[in-house]
Amino acid sequence: MEIELKSQSDDEIVFIVRDAEVPFVNAIRRAAMVNVPKIAIEDVNIIRNDSAMFNEVLAHRLGLTPLVSDLDAIEGLPVPEDEGWFEHNGVAFSLNEVGPKVVYSKDLISSDSKIKPVYDTIPIVKLKDDEELNVEAYAKVGYGKNHVKWMPTTVCAYKQYPEITFNDDMDIDYECADACPRGVLKSDKRSKKIKILDIENCTMCKSCERASINRAAANGAPDKSYINIGYRENDFIFRIETDGSMPPKEVLLTACDKLSEKADKFISFSEKEE
C-alpha cells in the first residue's frame, strides 16, 4: 500500500491511497467519524433564560459548539469507557449576559484555558432589552458513535481514483469536453486531442460520456462513446475535514490507533481460544 499526501491545512487533509481495498479504507473512514474522542458540552444547567429561545434549543446549540479537543486538551480527562465518567462533572463553562446583544461563542467562559470554543463568532442567542441569560454548562469527552456533537469530522469521505480513456478507433469528439461540469477536460484542436486537466477533480458523473454517446447515436453509431469514464479499483482519494476542534492529521492517526487496538483484541481472543 502506498500513500501520497496531496494537501494539508489546519482543518483539512487530502491524500491518495494506492493498492488498498474498499473495506480497509471504509474502516478508516468510520473510525475517524465515530471512534475518535472529542470534547463537547454534555450537561447544561439553565438558571435563567429570558430569551425567546426554548431551553432545549439553547442546550442543543451549546452542545454543537466546537471546542478545542486536541491531544493536549483532552489529556487526563476520562473517556466514556472509564469508570466514573458519568459521575465526572467535566470542564465547567459559564454564560451570563444581559441584553440587548447577540450572545456569541466567545462569551462562553471556560474553567480550563486550553478548552474553549474553536471559533469566537458562532451566534448562540439574541437577547432583547433587559433580557438575561445565566447558564452553567459542563463539557465531557465522548465519541461520535454516541452523538454527532462528539464527531470531529465535518467531511470524511473517499472516492475511487478516476480513470479516463479514449477510443482511438473513433473520430475525436471535441464537444464532449464541454459537457464536463467541473472543467476536467479541454479540447485542443491544434494537437488533435482532448487534454485531461485535473483527473482527481473528476466526480465520474459521466456527463461527457453520455454526451458523446448521444452524438454518436445521431451519426448512426448507437451505444458508442469516444470517451470512457471509469476508476482504478484499488486506488482511492481520501479527504478529511474537521470542525476545527482538532487537526485532521490527529484525527487520522487516532483513527488508525483505534483500528489497531480492535485488531489486537481479535488476536488476543484467538490466542486464548487456541
Side-chain angles (χ1 to χ4, degrees):
M1 185 175 65
E2 297 180 2
I3 301 175
E4 178 187 350
L5 179 66
K6 297 299 295 184
S7 63
Q8 183 176 356
S9 63
D10 292 339
D11 57 5
E12 183 185 51
I13 185 171
V14 180
F15 56 94
I16 297 173
V17 184
R18 294 187 175 90
D19 297 325
E21 296 181 349
V22 170
F24 175 75
V25 178
N26 191 52
I28 295 177
R29 180 190 69 86
R30 288 176 58 85
M33 294 174 64
V34 303
N35 293 123
V36 176
K38 177 191 170 185
I39 302 172
I41 289 177
E42 167 70 355
D43 299 316
V44 178
N45 181 21
I46 298 178
I47 301 171
R48 181 166 181 175
N49 178 19
D50 296 335
S51 73
M53 183 176 291
F54 292 120
N55 291 346
E56 295 84 356
V57 179
L58 176 60
H60 184 66
R61 284 197 176 190
L62 292 174
L64 292 178
T65 301
L67 305 177
V68 175
S69 304
D70 55 27
L71 294 178
D72 292 336
I74 67 175
E75 185 178 4
L77 295 177
V79 293
E81 59 264 29
D82 291 341
E83 187 176 350
W85 181 85
F86 284 100
E87 293 76 15
H88 181 71
N89 288 332
V91 180
F93 285 84
S94 62
L95 187 60
N96 195 350
E97 301 293 333
V98 179
K101 67 173 297 186
V102 176
V103 180
Y104 291 96
S105 52
K106 65 180 179 180
D107 298 316
L108 275 168
I109 307 302
S110 174
S111 61
D112 189 331
S113 59
K114 294 185 297 183
I115 302 173
K116 58 183 180 179
V118 176
Y119 308 104
D120 292 337
T121 55
I122 300 175
I124 297 176
V125 64
K126 184 176 182 180
L127 299 177
K128 295 182 179 180
D129 290 340
D130 298 326
E131 288 185 343
E132 185 177 347
L133 180 66
N134 190 357
V135 174
E136 293 177 351
Y138 300 91
K140 293 183 178 182
V141 179
Y143 297 112
K145 62 184 178 182
N146 300 125
H147 196 284
V148 69
K149 65 185 178 184
W150 283 309
M151 188 180 294
T153 59
T154 53
V155 174
C156 188
Y158 64 87
K159 69 176 181 180
Q160 288 171 304
Y161 201 96
E163 191 169 49
I164 301 175
T165 58
F166 302 95
N167 293 326
D168 295 331
D169 58 341
M170 295 180 62
D171 293 335
I172 300 175
D173 185 359
Y174 293 106
E175 295 182 18
C176 72
D178 299 330
C180 177
R182 300 179 69 88
V184 175
L185 305 172
K186 180 182 180 182
S187 297
D188 190 348
K189 295 184 179 180
R190 177 176 295 181
S191 61
K192 295 183 178 180
K193 64 180 182 180
I194 294 178
K195 293 182 177 179
I196 302 174
L197 302 180
D198 184 8
I199 192 170
E200 293 174 8
N201 194 33
C202 176
T203 60
M204 295 173 279
C205 67
K206 296 192 175 185
S207 295
C208 56
E209 187 175 319
R210 287 193 295 271
S212 183
I213 290 175
N214 292 336
R215 270 186 292 275
N219 294 327
D223 300 326
K224 287 189 176 181
S225 173
Y226 172 70
I227 187 171
N228 301 305
I229 306 299
Y231 56 85
R232 301 177 189 173
E233 189 171 347
N234 295 320
D235 294 352
F236 305 88
I237 301 174
F238 205 117
R239 179 187 174 200
I240 296 177
E241 181 182 309
T242 71
D243 59 4
S245 57
M246 63 182 72
K249 184 178 179 180
E250 230 174 69
V251 174
L252 177 61
L253 294 176
T254 305
C256 291
D257 288 341
K258 293 293 183 179
L259 280 178
S260 179
E261 290 175 9
K262 291 183 178 182
D264 289 339
K265 289 182 180 180
F266 272 106
I267 294 173
S268 299
F269 171 77
S270 300
E271 290 175 347
K272 288 180 181 178
E273 289 297 313
E274 292 177 358

